[in-house]
Amino acid sequence: MAPEVTYAEAAAAVFAKVSEKVMFAQALRDLAGQDQATRARAAAVLGTIQYSLSVRVLAARCARDPSAEVRKECVNALTALGKSDGLPAVERAL
């Protein structure tokens, strides 16, 4: 399973745009919440941020989220990112 991304890693990361860093941090917080719809939206947001930490977060969440809807959104987001790093998580989910 992919390692989780810590808030410290996210804070230290250098994104192409400041807005991406803000969106990433918010999505990371939202993924830790209880609401399934919020977690699913957060996964979708991560699918728009072309950064290696996005793949790590999505792969980890895809493997362990209790909600099938969230796991599905993680697969969609990983697919949208098109990074080969996410392929094993997508294959396991399928």
Side-chain angles (χ1 to χ4, degrees), residues 2-87:
E4 287 292 324
V5 173
T6 65
Y7 292 116
E9 283 180 288
V14 178
F15 288 81
K17 300 176 187 171
V18 172
S19 61
E20 288 180 340
K21 185 170 190 161
V22 171
M23 289 170 43
F24 183 88
Q26 183 62 52
L28 195 59
R29 284 189 295 275
D30 288 348
L31 279 172
Q34 296 295 317
D35 184 64
Q36 166 184 310
T38 301
R39 292 193 320 272
R41 280 191 301 275
V45 167
L46 289 174
T48 67
I49 301 172
Q50 290 285 336
Y51 196 73
S52 61
L53 292 182
S54 296
V55 174
R56 275 184 48 201
V57 170
L58 290 165
R61 181 56 59 165
C62 185
R64 70 172 181 79
D65 199 279
S67 165
E69 183 63 29
V70 175
R71 292 190 311 269
K72 180 184 106 185
E73 201 56 54
C74 288
V75 168
N76 291 339
L78 284 165
T79 303
L81 288 172
K83 304 277 188 189
S84 61
D85 303 14
L87 191 57

